Amino acid sequence: MTTGTSTAPRRRSAARTYLPLAVAAWFILEIWLLSLVAGAAGGFTVALLLLGGIVLGAVVIKRAGRRAFRNLTASFQRVGQGTAPEDRQQGRGNGLVMLAGLLLILPGLLSDVAGLLLLLPPVRALAGRRLARSLERTMTSATGGGFGAAFQQARIHQPDGKVVRGEVVREDRPRPGPGAGPSGPDSGYRPPLAS
């Protein structure tokens, strides 16, 4: 009897394997740098640096959110008036600006430096291009068939990891019209499908 589960061992992706290690190394490095700065300049200076990063990050996220909302409202107004929407370059990069703000809010010196670098337009443009290329490459190689194939692939997998395979068999007989007797092909008891 088959259960629908595969007995082949699953390979873990490199990102799932090394991402927790990278995050742990990042935290250890952040703590080490904070202790070095605290030893050199004092604990009050470290507290001011962390507080300044939180305030600056909150301001950056607030401004980027307002700009994104303003661009969205203007786009809806243009579409409502029947005019063509403008080029998307105007609102581009709000996600990376918000990421920069989030990095500034996170406590630590490395995250603050990364957030400040993302606020620079050339760095943000470079990161945006690389991110777009990476996302496009991942999407095209994921299923080999585009978004429709990915959606179909997601539909056949059950949440518990079992794969349900099947096919639809269609008989090319004409259906009986209304008023057909009980001897038609669609009459009779049909048990409910088990999930």
Side-chain angles (χ1 to χ4, degrees):
M1 181 173 160
T2 60
T3 61
T5 59
S6 174
T7 58
R10 284 186 160 182
R11 284 186 43 202
R12 287 183 71 162
S13 69
R16 286 184 67 189
T17 302
Y18 296 116
L19 185 64
L21 294 173
V23 169
W26 179 279
F27 283 139
I28 290 171
L29 191 58
E30 290 279 17
I31 292 170
W32 180 69
L33 283 175
L34 285 174
S35 66
L36 280 179
V37 172
F44 185 70
T45 305
V46 171
L48 283 179
L49 283 173
L50 294 177
L51 184 63
I54 290 171
V55 170
L56 182 62
V59 168
V60 166
I61 287 177
K62 187 176 180 180
R63 287 188 67 203
R66 281 185 181 168
R67 187 177 1 169
F69 186 73
R70 189 171 46 244
N71 290 341
L72 181 67
T73 304
S75 296
F76 280 142
Q77 287 175 349
R78 274 189 241 103
V79 169
Q81 295 171 354
T83 60
E86 290 180 11
D87 189 20
R88 291 185 175 185
Q89 299 295 330
Q90 178 185 0
R92 193 171 169 204
N94 282 333
L96 290 175
V97 172
M98 286 187 180
L99 177 64
L102 180 65
L103 286 171
L104 285 168
I105 287 176
L106 288 176
L109 298 177
L110 286 179
S111 61
D112 288 349
V113 169
L116 288 173
L117 284 175
L118 266 179
L119 287 178
L120 299 173
V123 175
R124 192 169 54 238
L126 178 69
R129 282 193 302 268
R130 291 197 62 161
L131 186 63
R133 266 196 311 248
S134 173
L135 184 64
E136 181 180 336
R137 188 174 36 239
T138 302
M139 290 299 288
T140 56
S141 69
T143 60
F147 183 71
F151 181 70
Q152 181 66 23
Q153 191 73 11
R155 282 185 47 193
I156 66 170
H157 287 280
Q158 297 293 331
D160 59 357
K162 295 179 183 175
V163 177
V164 178
R165 302 247 184 240
E167 71 180 57
V168 176
V169 178
R170 191 179 99 198
E171 296 180 15
D172 290 335
R173 285 189 257 164
R175 291 184 151 188
S183 62
D186 288 329
S187 64
Y189 174 74
R190 292 185 182 181
L193 297 174
S195 57

